[in-house]
Every structure is written in structure tokens, then in C-alpha cells.
């Protein structure tokens, strides 16, 4: 078999990612053995992998490249490097020598620039491919304001710029875009000053430790903050790595990083379908564990395995085309642009299933595959969602995010909420029960008064006026029930009618009850201050006429109010806005209001108060009258005093409480129910 050589770039020493590189190389060798044992792929050739250490350093990467270019037997393709900075400089040079390059771990977004890197392909997704997932996470939780913090490095500059543009396209504000070189504290303070609670970070592992140490000191962690990071260091507890530049304790660092999110490629096929290698993803892991027992199948190991298969399949397709031209792959030499173009077209036309899923390339030479949404739970990354680029949606995993507060935090923007304060249910039911008790009490007295109206004792107390007092009391009790109604118990459209009805019921009920009592008191006053008692007789019709006059005045006033300045339903602010967490809650209460409602109330209270004062004066003048024929005159006077006391105390209190709906209903019910009930009992219990 003819020998073909692949030039490999691996980070094997000198950097934290070297441990990953030492796992990636065995995966490539395992793929190489499987390929060389296949009779249907490159049957006339034998693949060889040259492995060189780049130390994730640009200088070492260029040195390795020129070592390959200096070989007497050329390498036909390049595999790697892993680190984006090294891949960038290698790719800028390699295409001039017609070398196709496949990277298994370089994610920098600007490497997708086909004009600059025409022969570079990647089995791993670029960082920019994760931007759509980041935006979807923000939209999924309703976050519209974010802060961004990136390290000053070309690897992050382009992907962050693309993210900012994507956020702008989705109407998400970047309130504090920060870039730091060495010390991140000043930039974290800027983010905190803008009250950004959702922070998207892009930085290397060592810088991440400095960032989160300062974040701990500034209190930028916990239930009110969410960090969304790269997944580069998720394979180990990077925050616990000893670092002379960090003066935070392990516990402090653990507190700061708890619950952070990261965006991670779906690096293993999620189905049980075998790929081109004949292995399912589970079988691959088992085989790799057997092949490399002391290693770990880190994030990029499956990508490196598929990269080898991708190179072999592209070479296999190209070999067939060359065979028809009586050429072969082993004739490749540096600068062979024709063979490089054939190899490029073969690569771009590839469609196959690897252990990382389906592999095919867009016009930019990029893969599209689902993305994991991870959260650090119990000190390890846990899949909490899956972003599918095909439909631009996030599907939640069976494991849900763990929030340190009651749920996802606010994005820092104070949300304004209007809260309508309704009557509490307990007070509502108490008010309804009181109203019903009052109606039943009054109805009982009415039945008693009608049944025994011809009894001498009842007859002497003017039963017709008694009936008027009772009917007035029933109307007043009905107003107690209506005053507790609000938008929770009836429709807002009905509240205007309920307010108007309440005014009519209270006003007319008052006129009936107080008017009848006033008539009784006035009769006593007239008898004992004008002529001898036996010479003066008042008919009920005369006395009721006074009540009718008061009702007529009420109807005129209330009708003018309803016609000229009608009551309308509206919400009124009952107090200052109160901050509850990240929400400013403005309390409102429901009311019925008209432009000159205060004037109308003064008019009504004026003439009704005048009648009450006159009645009080007359009651005082006749307080010593004790005549059997006027058997309830003393109790009528007491009832008038009772009502005066309720009006004098209850009226100002209900006006002073402002928009406290519960207090208003409670006071109204108390100062209406009890004086009315006491007055009824004073007038009718002695008769019973």
C-alpha cells in the first residue's frame, strides 16, 4: 500500500489544555487503526498520523508547520491545531501550500472567513454558532437586558461583536459591554452600576478565576445574578485550581460560580444509530476507554475521532476522481492547487454520520448541530436544555435549572406593576352576612308591626311611620352589601351601576328612616309647644308627607347628579409604589368618581345634616315628655342621638382613610349596620 501522511497538531504540554490533548491523540490513533483495517476506504493506501506538540502556542505551531513543509515526503492534509490562536496562523499559511486543514477543537468565529482561510474546515461548531442559543436562552426566560464581559483577545472579539448584533436584532439591550485585559474589577463595577443581572462572559480559564473572585467581592452572584459562560473548562473544577492571582478562598469561589450556565456542543450522537465507523456513541466511549484506559473522553475527543474519518473519506472520494485521470494521492506535492481543489470539493460534499452526529458543511464550511444548555449543579455541568438550530427553539431537559431564589431572576430592569387592591374575602363575607342579618332583623320587625298594627300599643306608635323606618333600614342594609362589591366579585362594567345604586339606597334609606323619626319627634314637639295635647291631632298622612318631601328632594338631587355629572368607574392610586424584589408595585383601588363628586356630597350631606341637627334639637327639647299616647317618643329621641353620633364619628373617618379599601368597607359597615340595628331595636324591642 502507498503511504499517506497527515500532519497533526496537538497541545501535549505546557498549558492546562495539554491534558485534553493527551486524550485527543489516542482517539485519532484509534480512528487511524480502524481506517487502515477497512477495505472500502482508501484500499490502496495506508494512512499515517504525525503528531507534534504545539503547546497551544503560536510560535510552536508555526515551527511544527514548517517542519512538515520541510519534509521530503509531504503531508497531504493537516489535522488541528486545537487552540484557535494557533489554528489562525497555521491556516493563513497552509492554504498557500495547497494543504487542506481540519480542526477538531478551534471554535473562534473569525476562522469561518473563507476568503482568509479557504482550506480550513472544522468538525466542531464555531463560537458564533452558540450565539443563537444564547439569544434563545435570554428570550426563553424573558431577559431583555444583559451585560457582557470579554477578555481582550481576538478569539473573543468577533464572536462577541456578532452576539451584540444578534442581541440588537432581537431587541435585547446590552447595557454594559465591557472588555478587560488583566484586572476585571473596574469592568465588573461598571456592569453592576448599570444593574445588569444577566452577564455573558467570554474569557480563558485563568481569567475566569479572577473574574469570579472579584464578582464574589462585589456581590455579583447568588439569587439575583445569572452568568452565561463558555464551556471550555467544564470538564474540571477550574475555580479550585491554585492561582497566585486570586485571593479568594475555595468556598468563596464555589459560592460565586454556583449555578452558572454554559453553552456546549452536542459532542455525541444522541441516537443509537451506528456511524460510518460502525460504532454508536455509547460503543465509541467503551472502545475508547479500552483503547486508552487512563484517559477521559473529554469534549473534543469525539470531534477528533470524526475528524480522522472526515479526512479519510475526503481522500477516498478524491482518490476515485484522480484514478479516472490516471493520477494518485501519493503524487501530491506542496502547491498542487488542482488536487487541493478536488480535495476541497470532496470535503464540502461529505454527508456521513459520525459519533458526534451527522456531518455536513454549509457554504461557510460550518456544521449545524444541536447545542446543550448546561448549568453547574453539584459542582458539575448538567444538561438542562437543548437548543435545536433547525427550529430555533429550546427544549427543556428532564433535569431542570436550579435557581438560588424563587425562580429565574429579573434582568435588572425594574418592572412596573399595577396591583388592584380588592376587598379581602373574609371581610367581603362578613359584610354580606351583616347586611343579610340586618335585612332579616328589619323584615322580622316589619312582619311584627304589620301583624299587630291594630294592637293599641302598636297603634299609638304610628305603625305606618314604623313601616317607613323599617323600609328605610332595609335599603340601608342593602347598601352595606353593595359597598363591598368590587371588580373581583362583579364585572368592572357593572361597578358604575352598583356605585349609583349604593348612593340611591343609602340616601333614600336614610331619608325614609331618619325622616320618619324626625316626623315623630316633630309631632311631639308641636303638641307640647303649641297647644294643649288634647286639642292637637296629627294624622299619619301629614307626617308621611314630610318624609315624601325629603324623598322628592333626594330624587331631584340624585337625578341631577346622574344626569349632569354621572359617576364613572375608575382606578385610583392608593399609595406610593412599593418595590418588591425587582418589581415596583403601584397599588390601586376601584372607585366611582365624577368631576364634581365632592360638591355633590357636600350638598347631600348639607341638607341631610341640617335635618339631623334639627331632629337632634327637637329630641332634646322633648326629652322629658312621658305620655302613654306617645309611647315610643323617648326611644325615637335616643335613636336620633345614636344616628347623630354615628354620622359625626363615622363620616370623617371614612373620608380620612383615603384609598384603603378594606378600611373603608369595614368602617362603612360598622357605622351603618350597628347604629341602624340599635335604632331598630330601640324602637321595636320594647314593643315586642
Amino acid at each position: 500500500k502507498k503511504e499517506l501522511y497527515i500532519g497533526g497538531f496537538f497541545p501535549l504540554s505546557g498549558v492546562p489544555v495539554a491534558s485534553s490533548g493527551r486524550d485527543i491523540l489516542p482517539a485519532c490513533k484509534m480512528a487511524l487503526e480502524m481506517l487502515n483495517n477497512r477495505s472500502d476506504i482508501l484500499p490502496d493506501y495506508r494512512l499515517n498520523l504525525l503528531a507534534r506538540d504545539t503547546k497551544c502556542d503560536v510560535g510552536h505551531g508555526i515551527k511544527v508547520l514548517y517542519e512538515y513543509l520541510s519534509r521530503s515526503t509531504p503531508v497531504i492534509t493537516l489535522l488541528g491545531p486545537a487552540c484557535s490562536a494557533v489554528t489562525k496562523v497555521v491556516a493563513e499559511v497552509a492554504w498557500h501550500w495547497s494543504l487542506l486543514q481540519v480542526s477538531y477543537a478551534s471554535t473562534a468565529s473569525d476562522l469561518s472567513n473563507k476568503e482568509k482561510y479557504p482550506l480550513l474546515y472544522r468538525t466542531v461548531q464555531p463560537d458564533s454558532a452558540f450565539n443563537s442559543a444564547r439569544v434563545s436562552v435570554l428570550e426563553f426566560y424573558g431577559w431583555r437586558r444583559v451585560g457582557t464581559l470579554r477578555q481582550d483577545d481576538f478569539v473573543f472579539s468577533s464572536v462577541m461583536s456578532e452576539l451584540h448584533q444578534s442581541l440588537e436584532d432581537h431587541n435585547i439591550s446590552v447595557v454594559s459591554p465591557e472588555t478587560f485585559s488583566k484586572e476585571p474589577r473596574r469592568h465588573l463595577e461598571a456592569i453592576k452600576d448599570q444593574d445588569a443581572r444577566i452577564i455573558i462572559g467570554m474569557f480563558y480559564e485563568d481569567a475566569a478565576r479572577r473574574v469570579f473572585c472579584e464578582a464574589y467581592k462585589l456581590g455579583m452572584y447568588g439569587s439575583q445574578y445569572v452568568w452565561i459562560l463558555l464551556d471550555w473548562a467544564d470538564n474540571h473544577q477550574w475555580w479550585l485550581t491554585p492561582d497566585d492571582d486570586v485571593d479568594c478562598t475555595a468556598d468563596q469561589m464555589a459560592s460565586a460560580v454556583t449555578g452558572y450556565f454554559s453553552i456546549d456542543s452536542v459532542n455525541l450522537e444522541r441516537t443509537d444509530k451506528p456511524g460510518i465507523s460502525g460504532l454508536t456513541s455509547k460503543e465509541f466511549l467503551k472502545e475508547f476507554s479500552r483503547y486508552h484506559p487512563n484517559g477521559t473522553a473529554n469534549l473534543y475527543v469525539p470531534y477528533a475521532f470524526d475528524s480522522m474519518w472526515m479526512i479519510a473519506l475526503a481522500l477516498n472520494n478524491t482518490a476515485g476522481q484522480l484514478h479516472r485521470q490516471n493520477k494518485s494521492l501519493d503524487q501530491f506535492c506542496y502547491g498542487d492547487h488542482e488536487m487541493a481543489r478536488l480535495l476541497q470539493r470532496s470535503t464540502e460534499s461529505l454527508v456521513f454520520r459520525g459519533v458526534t452526529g451527522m456531518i455536513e458543511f454549509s457554504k461557510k464550511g460550518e456544521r449545524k448541530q444541536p447545542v446543550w444548555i448546561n448549568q453547574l449543579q453539584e459542582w458539575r455541568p448538567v444538561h438542562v436544555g437543548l437548543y435545536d438550530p433547525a427550529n430555533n427553539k429550546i427544549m427543556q431537559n428532564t433535569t431542570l435549572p436550579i435557581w438560588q431564589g424563587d425562580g429565574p431572576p429579573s434582568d435588572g430592569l425594574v418592572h412596573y406593576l399595577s396591583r388592584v387592591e380588592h376587598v379581602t374575602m373574609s371581610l367581603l363575607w362578613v359584610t354580606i352576612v351583616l347586611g343579610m342579618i340586618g335585612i332579616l332583623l328589619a323584615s322580622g320587625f316589619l312582619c311584627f308591626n304589620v301583624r299587630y298594627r291594630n294592637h293599641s300599643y302598636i297603634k299609638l306608635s304610628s305603625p305606618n311611620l314604623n313601616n317607613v323606618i323599617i323600609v328605610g333600614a332595609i335599603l340601608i342594609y342593602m347598601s352595606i352589601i353593595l359597598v363591598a362589591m368590587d371588580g373581583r366579585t362583579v364585572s368592572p362594567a357593572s361597578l358604575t351601576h352598583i356605585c349609583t345604586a349604593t348612593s340611591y339606597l343609602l340616601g333614600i334609606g336614610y331619608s325614609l328612616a331618619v325622616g320618619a323619626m324626625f316626623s315623630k319627634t316633630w309631632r311631639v314637639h308641636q303638641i307640647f309647644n303649641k297647644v294643649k295635647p288634647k286639642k292637637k291631632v296629627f294624622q299619619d298622612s301629614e307626617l308621611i308627607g314630610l318624609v315624601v318631601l325629603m324623598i322628592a328632594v333626594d330624587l331631584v338631587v340624585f337625578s341631577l347628579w346622574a344626569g349632569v355629572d354621572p359617576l364613572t368607574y375608575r382606578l385610583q392610586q392608593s399609595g406610593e409604589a412599593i418595590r418588591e424584589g425587582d418589581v415596583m408595585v403601584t397599588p390601586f383601588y376601584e372607585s366611582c368618581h365624577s368631576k364634581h363628586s365632592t360638591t355633590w356630597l357636600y350638598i347631600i350631606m348639607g341638607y341631610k345634616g341640617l335635618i339631623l341637627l334639627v331632629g337632634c334639637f327637637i329630641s332634646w327639647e322633648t326629652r322629658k315628655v312621658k305620655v302613654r299616647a306617645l309611647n315610643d317618643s323617648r326611644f325615637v329621641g335616643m335613636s336620633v342621638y345614636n344616628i347623630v353620633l354615628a354620622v359625626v364619628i363615622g363620616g370623617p373617618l371614612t373620608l380620612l382613610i383615603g384609598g384603603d379599601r378594606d378600611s373603608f368597607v369595614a368602617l362603612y359597615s360598622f357605622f351603618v349596620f350597628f347604629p341602624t340595628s340599635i335604632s331598630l331595636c330601640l324602637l321595636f324591642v320594647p314593643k315586642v
Side-chain angles (χ1 to χ4, degrees), residues 189-229:
E189 288 174 341
I191 293 174
K192 186 175 183 179
D193 288 343
Q194 293 297 322
D195 197 25
R197 309 285 184 83
I198 315 303
I199 306 170
I200 301 175
M202 296 183 186
F203 26 73
Y204 291 114
E205 178 183 327
D206 57 338
R209 286 190 287 271
R210 298 197 301 273
V211 167
F212 277 92
C213 182
E214 296 300 330
Y216 177 84
K217 296 175 184 177
L218 294 170
M220 298 174 67
Y221 67 97
S223 61
Q224 293 187 328
Y225 285 87
V226 170
W227 287 82
I228 302 175
L229 307 179

Side-chain angles (χ1 to χ4, degrees), residues 610-628:
L610 181 61
I611 294 172
L612 191 60
L613 286 174
V614 173
C616 187
F617 172 76
I618 294 174
S619 297
W620 179 260
E621 288 287 307
T622 59
R623 67 189 182 279
K624 297 181 180 180
V625 175
K626 295 181 180 179
V627 181
R628 185 178 182 277

Side-chain angles (χ1 to χ4, degrees), residues 26-27 30 34 268 272 277-297 301-302 305 355:
M30 186 176 87
M34 296 176 71
L268 286 171
D272 291 330
S277 64
L279 300 176
T280 65
S281 57
K282 293 180 180 178
E283 291 170 344
F284 164 74
L285 294 176
K286 290 181 180 179
E287 185 64 22
F288 179 75
S289 178
R290 183 196 62 77
Y291 188 88
H292 186 51
N294 296 323
T296 302
V301 163
F305 182 80
V355 296

